[in-house]
Amino acid sequence: MTFKNFVQIGRVVYINYGPLAGRLAVIVDVIDQNRALVDGPGFGVDRQSIPFRRVALTKFRISLSRGISSARLQKHLEKFDLKGKWAKTSLAQRLAIRKKRALLNDFERFKVQLLRQKFSRLARQHARVLAKSQPAAGGKKAAAPAKKAAEKKK
């Protein structure tokens, strides 16, 4: 499997560390092997230099020219519908679930606990029903060696 997400101008990045964590930005220029100039109009990210350690490359890439202005980048982002495409990714969905769980109060966490217990109980009951309906995996094979051992003793 080949690597497809390269550091390149127009690559959309997810900032995963620092004061801007959780926001999207676009690489506008590559400064050196450790840093890039990113901009995220509409996502709350001003144009700034950011180390590659603090970002995760996404699969999205917008065809841009190097050093594009924020206004033109905003138009490209709206045309590309980045917010809609990002919302459909599995990472964005996991982050939304994590955020939703963090906002639960004590009683809501208690209700989630009860639902998980109920689900586990049903799963165990279903597993027991399946185990009873199917014969034991080693039932016939385990009896055969015992017969052979009894015959050898005689």
Side-chain angles (χ1 to χ4, degrees), residues 34-79:
N34 296 318
R35 302 180 75 75
L37 186 67
V38 298
D39 195 2
F43 293 102
V45 179
D46 295 329
R47 185 172 293 226
Q48 60 188 291
S49 171
I50 193 163
F52 290 123
R53 294 184 313 249
R54 293 187 176 198
V55 298
L57 301 173
T58 65
K59 64 181 180 180
F60 303 116
R61 183 176 182 271
I62 304 168
S63 180
L64 302 174
S65 59
R66 184 172 165 242
I68 191 170
S69 69
S70 293
R72 291 188 63 199
L73 179 60
Q74 176 70 31
K75 290 179 184 176
H76 280 283
L77 289 175
E78 289 171 359
K79 184 179 176 184

Side-chain angles (χ1 to χ4, degrees), residues 3 9 12 28 39 48-49 51 56 62 68 71 75-76 83 88 93-95 107 125-126 142 147 149 153:
F3 187 72
I9 295 170
V12 178
V28 178
D39 195 2
Q48 60 188 291
S49 171
I62 304 168
I68 191 170
K75 290 179 184 176
H76 280 283
K83 288 183 181 182
K88 293 179 184 176
Q93 292 170 355
R94 277 189 313 223
L95 292 171
F107 183 62
Q125 288 174 354
H126 186 67
K147 287 182 183 177
K153 289 182 180 179

Side-chain angles (χ1 to χ4, degrees), residues 116-136:
R116 290 182 66 168
Q117 288 174 352
K118 185 176 182 180
F119 178 79
S120 295
R121 194 175 307 114
L122 289 171
R124 280 194 306 270
Q125 288 174 354
H126 186 67
R128 280 190 215 119
V129 169
L130 287 176
K132 287 181 180 178
S133 67
Q134 295 176 351

